[in-house]
Amino acid sequence: MMKQYAYFPGCSLESLSKGYHVSALESARALDVDLQELEDWNCCGATAYFPVDELLAYTLTARNLAQAEQVGLDFVAPCSACFKNAWSTNNYIQHDPDLAEHINYALEADNLHVKGSSRVLHLIDVFTQDVGVETIKQKVTKPLKGLRVAPYYGCQLLRPRKDHEEVENPQYFEGLLSALGADPVDYASKAHCCGGSLIITARKAALDMLYKCLKDAVDSQADVIATTCPMCHVNLEAYQSRANQEFGANFKVPIMYFTQLVGLAVGVPAKRLGIPGELFASKPLQAHLQP
Amino acid sequence: MSAELSFSSEIGNLMYAAHGSPIKTCLQCGMCSGSCPAVEFMDHTPREIIGMIRAGLKEEVLDSNTYWTCASCYYCTVRCPAEIDIAGMMYALKRYSMWKGQHKEGLVGPVFSEAFVKMIVNSGRSYEPILGIAYLPMFSPRDIVLEGLMATGLILSGKLPLLPKSVKRLKNLQQMVRRIIPIGEP
């Protein structure tokens, strides 16, 4: 039986992070998870609405939550920033009737209403909690043997919510990677911030944070860094050369979405997972990317 | 004559009620500053900023780059022993500074946020190249060239669409936004 979810891709997955979008859909399908895209979703605002108006920030996110409630499904976001906004907004709607009333007054303009009744999940929660690593392990046909993967949680997947297993040293991403047959790499920066939200607005600080994350992963001999967020992914991948310039380094770490690794391990062909061509040249990955 | 609200109360009022303890419960322990990945790029550490807000040093706080250098990573928020939402407080300072039109010169953050919200009001979705136009003047010529090369490369490789997408019920979305902030009539 396919389990259905209301899927909120978020703006990045339509542009810079198409590989995440296709690999999310493909790997989910392979795990009997049906991601139904929300009918008319809007941008969640990432970190940019809050400096302007807080109620506006909650309301724009609530418009997406309301659509998930309308179809009676749990809300799933593959982006950590979208997830954080949705999770927090849902939490406030549940606990503050006054805020909910203000939001619902605005939502009336689009004939929507929000109660905070859907569960809000990040896509990796769906895989690790709802599907479960034991089930995933049974579906692995092409284990990622010998591949050293640095699980990069980043910040907003874990914080500010405190309701999950361990806010300082989570282990579920490692558990998922082990189920895929890969070797999860232990490194200090796994839950640190890569500076993605500052790459435009405070470049120097962002590159410094990015460099530290990359260095930690490389020092731990990671073959690849796995991400759960398109913002982190773009930052780690596209700005890697800028961090190299800034700090005189020579990092060439491939960055992959966790969904691409799940897809490969359960036997989805690499080309259907949006894996960029240049990664085929990466030695540690070669064995796993054969068609 | 009515009493004037202190700067500390003003910022406190701008923090949403569900966001944890009021800033007056701060112990000045420095856990926030010690946990902050961007602290060395800030004019004042988060701990100092809280102390300065409580001391009413409004001009010095507003003119610092601290709150626009916050990366929203929430380490401070989850570690604060007094349970103050410090990242939330940084957002409150951003809103206050946008409202008053007062911030340190040469910062990209305020321009970026404004451009972002305008874009959402126009289409309901975000689109990287439009944002680019808003913030390019703030970069050095070398940065602009590098950034332009990267954007062109991304468009050519099919990673960036040439045109932004829009929500289907844009008029409704704009009506919804009008119920919260003034964005003018259609």
mmCIF file of all heavy atoms in Angstrom, chain A residues 139-145 179-182 261-270 287-291:
data_model
loop_
_atom_site.group_PDB
_atom_site.id
_atom_site.type_symbol
_atom_site.label_atom_id
_atom_site.label_comp_id
_atom_site.label_asym_id
_atom_site.label_seq_id
_atom_site.Cartn_x
_atom_site.Cartn_y
_atom_site.Cartn_z
ATOM 1 N N LYS A 139 14.968 -3.231 1.162
ATOM 2 C CA LYS A 139 14.756 -2.868 -0.247
ATOM 3 C C LYS A 139 16.056 -2.560 -0.973
ATOM 4 O O LYS A 139 16.057 -2.296 -2.177
ATOM 5 C CB LYS A 139 13.827 -1.659 -0.341
ATOM 6 C CG LYS A 139 12.459 -1.969 0.218
ATOM 7 C CD LYS A 139 11.413 -0.991 -0.256
ATOM 8 C CE LYS A 139 10.086 -1.342 0.394
ATOM 9 N NZ LYS A 139 8.968 -1.363 -0.521
ATOM 10 N N VAL A 140 17.179 -2.534 -0.231
ATOM 11 C CA VAL A 140 18.457 -2.201 -0.863
ATOM 12 C C VAL A 140 18.907 -3.352 -1.758
ATOM 13 O O VAL A 140 19.040 -4.484 -1.310
ATOM 14 C CB VAL A 140 19.524 -1.888 0.210
ATOM 15 C CG1 VAL A 140 20.911 -1.784 -0.413
ATOM 16 C CG2 VAL A 140 19.177 -0.575 0.921
ATOM 17 N N THR A 141 19.099 -3.041 -3.056
ATOM 18 C CA THR A 141 19.582 -4.063 -3.992
ATOM 19 C C THR A 141 21.015 -3.772 -4.422
ATOM 20 O O THR A 141 21.728 -4.649 -4.880
ATOM 21 C CB THR A 141 18.691 -4.125 -5.251
ATOM 22 O OG1 THR A 141 18.588 -2.805 -5.782
ATOM 23 C CG2 THR A 141 17.303 -4.642 -4.908
ATOM 24 N N LYS A 142 21.414 -2.492 -4.330
ATOM 25 C CA LYS A 142 22.773 -2.112 -4.708
ATOM 26 C C LYS A 142 23.421 -1.342 -3.560
ATOM 27 O O LYS A 142 23.499 -0.115 -3.588
ATOM 28 C CB LYS A 142 22.739 -1.234 -5.970
ATOM 29 C CG LYS A 142 22.277 -1.977 -7.204
ATOM 30 C CD LYS A 142 22.419 -1.114 -8.437
ATOM 31 C CE LYS A 142 22.190 -1.958 -9.679
ATOM 32 N NZ LYS A 142 22.113 -1.150 -10.894
ATOM 33 N N PRO A 143 23.858 -2.065 -2.530
ATOM 34 C CA PRO A 143 24.420 -1.386 -1.353
ATOM 35 C C PRO A 143 25.600 -0.479 -1.720
ATOM 36 O O PRO A 143 26.385 -0.823 -2.613
ATOM 37 C CB PRO A 143 24.855 -2.537 -0.449
ATOM 38 C CG PRO A 143 24.823 -3.767 -1.284
ATOM 39 C CD PRO A 143 23.881 -3.521 -2.413
ATOM 40 N N LEU A 144 25.689 0.646 -1.056
ATOM 41 C CA LEU A 144 26.745 1.634 -1.358
ATOM 42 C C LEU A 144 28.028 1.252 -0.624
ATOM 43 O O LEU A 144 28.597 2.048 0.117
ATOM 44 C CB LEU A 144 26.275 3.033 -0.956
ATOM 45 C CG LEU A 144 24.937 3.484 -1.568
ATOM 46 C CD1 LEU A 144 24.518 4.836 -0.992
ATOM 47 C CD2 LEU A 144 25.039 3.566 -3.088
ATOM 48 N N LYS A 145 28.480 0.035 -0.861
ATOM 49 C CA LYS A 145 29.625 -0.532 -0.141
ATOM 50 C C LYS A 145 30.878 0.299 -0.330
ATOM 51 O O LYS A 145 31.233 0.656 -1.446
ATOM 52 C CB LYS A 145 29.886 -1.957 -0.621
ATOM 53 C CG LYS A 145 29.614 -2.974 0.460
ATOM 54 C CD LYS A 145 29.984 -4.364 -0.011
ATOM 55 C CE LYS A 145 28.930 -5.343 0.470
ATOM 56 N NZ LYS A 145 28.650 -6.393 -0.470
ATOM 57 N N ALA A 179 21.972 1.758 6.620
ATOM 58 C CA ALA A 179 20.990 0.864 5.993
ATOM 59 C C ALA A 179 21.216 0.763 4.493
ATOM 60 O O ALA A 179 20.914 -0.257 3.882
ATOM 61 C CB ALA A 179 19.576 1.364 6.282
ATOM 62 N N LEU A 180 21.770 1.826 3.899
ATOM 63 C CA LEU A 180 22.042 1.814 2.455
ATOM 64 C C LEU A 180 23.342 1.086 2.135
ATOM 65 O O LEU A 180 23.729 0.969 0.971
ATOM 66 C CB LEU A 180 22.127 3.248 1.910
ATOM 67 C CG LEU A 180 20.919 4.168 2.131
ATOM 68 C CD1 LEU A 180 21.200 5.549 1.568
ATOM 69 C CD2 LEU A 180 19.659 3.583 1.505
ATOM 70 N N GLY A 181 24.064 0.667 3.172
ATOM 71 C CA GLY A 181 25.324 -0.045 2.966
ATOM 72 C C GLY A 181 26.528 0.872 2.943
ATOM 73 O O GLY A 181 27.660 0.416 2.767
ATOM 74 N N ALA A 182 26.324 2.180 3.108
ATOM 75 C CA ALA A 182 27.429 3.145 3.089
ATOM 76 C C ALA A 182 28.083 3.227 4.467
ATOM 77 O O ALA A 182 27.548 2.709 5.453
ATOM 78 C CB ALA A 182 26.916 4.508 2.667
ATOM 79 N N LEU A 261 21.198 9.154 -2.917
ATOM 80 C CA LEU A 261 21.869 7.975 -2.368
ATOM 81 C C LEU A 261 20.863 6.862 -2.083
ATOM 82 O O LEU A 261 21.117 5.686 -2.382
ATOM 83 C CB LEU A 261 22.640 8.350 -1.091
ATOM 84 C CG LEU A 261 23.826 9.298 -1.316
ATOM 85 C CD1 LEU A 261 24.370 9.809 0.017
ATOM 86 C CD2 LEU A 261 24.932 8.611 -2.107
ATOM 87 N N VAL A 262 19.697 7.235 -1.526
ATOM 88 C CA VAL A 262 18.653 6.231 -1.279
ATOM 89 C C VAL A 262 18.249 5.601 -2.609
ATOM 90 O O VAL A 262 18.185 4.368 -2.743
ATOM 91 C CB VAL A 262 17.419 6.864 -0.585
ATOM 92 C CG1 VAL A 262 16.268 5.856 -0.508
ATOM 93 C CG2 VAL A 262 17.770 7.356 0.806
ATOM 94 N N GLY A 263 18.015 6.444 -3.622
ATOM 95 C CA GLY A 263 17.600 5.969 -4.939
ATOM 96 C C GLY A 263 18.594 4.981 -5.524
ATOM 97 O O GLY A 263 18.211 3.891 -5.973
ATOM 98 N N LEU A 264 19.886 5.334 -5.492
ATOM 99 C CA LEU A 264 20.918 4.444 -6.037
ATOM 100 C C LEU A 264 20.897 3.087 -5.332
ATOM 101 O O LEU A 264 20.951 2.037 -5.972
ATOM 102 C CB LEU A 264 22.311 5.069 -5.857
ATOM 103 C CG LEU A 264 22.712 6.221 -6.779
ATOM 104 C CD1 LEU A 264 24.063 6.772 -6.340
ATOM 105 C CD2 LEU A 264 22.776 5.762 -8.238
ATOM 106 N N ALA A 265 20.802 3.129 -4.003
ATOM 107 C CA ALA A 265 20.886 1.888 -3.231
ATOM 108 C C ALA A 265 19.684 0.972 -3.454
ATOM 109 O O ALA A 265 19.813 -0.248 -3.385
ATOM 110 C CB ALA A 265 21.036 2.209 -1.738
ATOM 111 N N VAL A 266 18.523 1.568 -3.737
ATOM 112 C CA VAL A 266 17.349 0.704 -3.968
ATOM 113 C C VAL A 266 17.179 0.379 -5.447
ATOM 114 O O VAL A 266 16.157 -0.171 -5.852
ATOM 115 C CB VAL A 266 16.039 1.302 -3.375
ATOM 116 C CG1 VAL A 266 16.163 1.466 -1.868
ATOM 117 C CG2 VAL A 266 15.663 2.618 -4.035
ATOM 118 N N GLY A 267 18.186 0.762 -6.255
ATOM 119 C CA GLY A 267 18.227 0.298 -7.630
ATOM 120 C C GLY A 267 17.642 1.222 -8.686
ATOM 121 O O GLY A 267 17.422 0.806 -9.822
ATOM 122 N N VAL A 268 17.371 2.479 -8.343
ATOM 123 C CA VAL A 268 16.907 3.435 -9.364
ATOM 124 C C VAL A 268 18.127 3.856 -10.197
ATOM 125 O O VAL A 268 19.171 4.181 -9.624
ATOM 126 C CB VAL A 268 16.254 4.677 -8.712
ATOM 127 C CG1 VAL A 268 15.749 5.646 -9.776
ATOM 128 C CG2 VAL A 268 15.126 4.283 -7.768
ATOM 129 N N PRO A 269 18.021 3.835 -11.544
ATOM 130 C CA PRO A 269 19.173 4.220 -12.355
ATOM 131 C C PRO A 269 19.599 5.683 -12.093
ATOM 132 O O PRO A 269 18.745 6.540 -11.884
ATOM 133 C CB PRO A 269 18.668 4.086 -13.800
ATOM 134 C CG PRO A 269 17.430 3.273 -13.722
ATOM 135 C CD PRO A 269 16.862 3.456 -12.351
ATOM 136 N N ALA A 270 20.928 5.928 -12.117
ATOM 137 C CA ALA A 270 21.473 7.246 -11.781
ATOM 138 C C ALA A 270 20.839 8.361 -12.599
ATOM 139 O O ALA A 270 20.563 9.438 -12.083
ATOM 140 C CB ALA A 270 22.987 7.239 -11.980
ATOM 141 N N ALA A 287 31.917 3.288 -8.964
ATOM 142 C CA ALA A 287 31.393 1.932 -8.829
ATOM 143 C C ALA A 287 29.873 1.917 -8.622
ATOM 144 O O ALA A 287 29.206 0.959 -8.978
ATOM 145 C CB ALA A 287 32.077 1.242 -7.656
ATOM 146 N N HIS A 288 29.357 3.017 -8.021
ATOM 147 C CA HIS A 288 27.927 3.021 -7.666
ATOM 148 C C HIS A 288 27.054 3.659 -8.726
ATOM 149 O O HIS A 288 25.848 3.614 -8.625
ATOM 150 C CB HIS A 288 27.752 3.737 -6.337
ATOM 151 C CG HIS A 288 28.575 3.143 -5.236
ATOM 152 N ND1 HIS A 288 28.260 1.936 -4.662
ATOM 153 C CD2 HIS A 288 29.721 3.553 -4.647
ATOM 154 C CE1 HIS A 288 29.171 1.642 -3.735
ATOM 155 N NE2 HIS A 288 30.072 2.601 -3.726
ATOM 156 N N LEU A 289 27.666 4.313 -9.712
ATOM 157 C CA LEU A 289 26.888 5.046 -10.700
ATOM 158 C C LEU A 289 26.736 4.302 -12.019
ATOM 159 O O LEU A 289 26.156 4.819 -12.949
ATOM 160 C CB LEU A 289 27.508 6.435 -10.943
ATOM 161 C CG LEU A 289 27.489 7.379 -9.736
ATOM 162 C CD1 LEU A 289 28.254 8.643 -10.035
ATOM 163 C CD2 LEU A 289 26.065 7.724 -9.348
ATOM 164 N N GLN A 290 27.253 3.070 -12.086
ATOM 165 C CA GLN A 290 27.103 2.295 -13.317
ATOM 166 C C GLN A 290 25.634 2.114 -13.644
ATOM 167 O O GLN A 290 24.841 1.834 -12.751
ATOM 168 C CB GLN A 290 27.774 0.917 -13.170
ATOM 169 C CG GLN A 290 29.253 0.952 -12.885
ATOM 170 C CD GLN A 290 30.062 1.775 -13.851
ATOM 171 O OE1 GLN A 290 29.721 1.841 -15.028
ATOM 172 N NE2 GLN A 290 31.114 2.425 -13.378
ATOM 173 N N PRO A 291 25.276 2.222 -14.933
ATOM 174 C CA PRO A 291 23.871 2.052 -15.308
ATOM 175 C C PRO A 291 23.411 0.609 -15.085
ATOM 176 O O PRO A 291 24.210 -0.306 -15.034
ATOM 177 C CB PRO A 291 23.816 2.410 -16.789
ATOM 178 C CG PRO A 291 25.195 2.628 -17.263
ATOM 179 C CD PRO A 291 26.135 2.565 -16.097
#
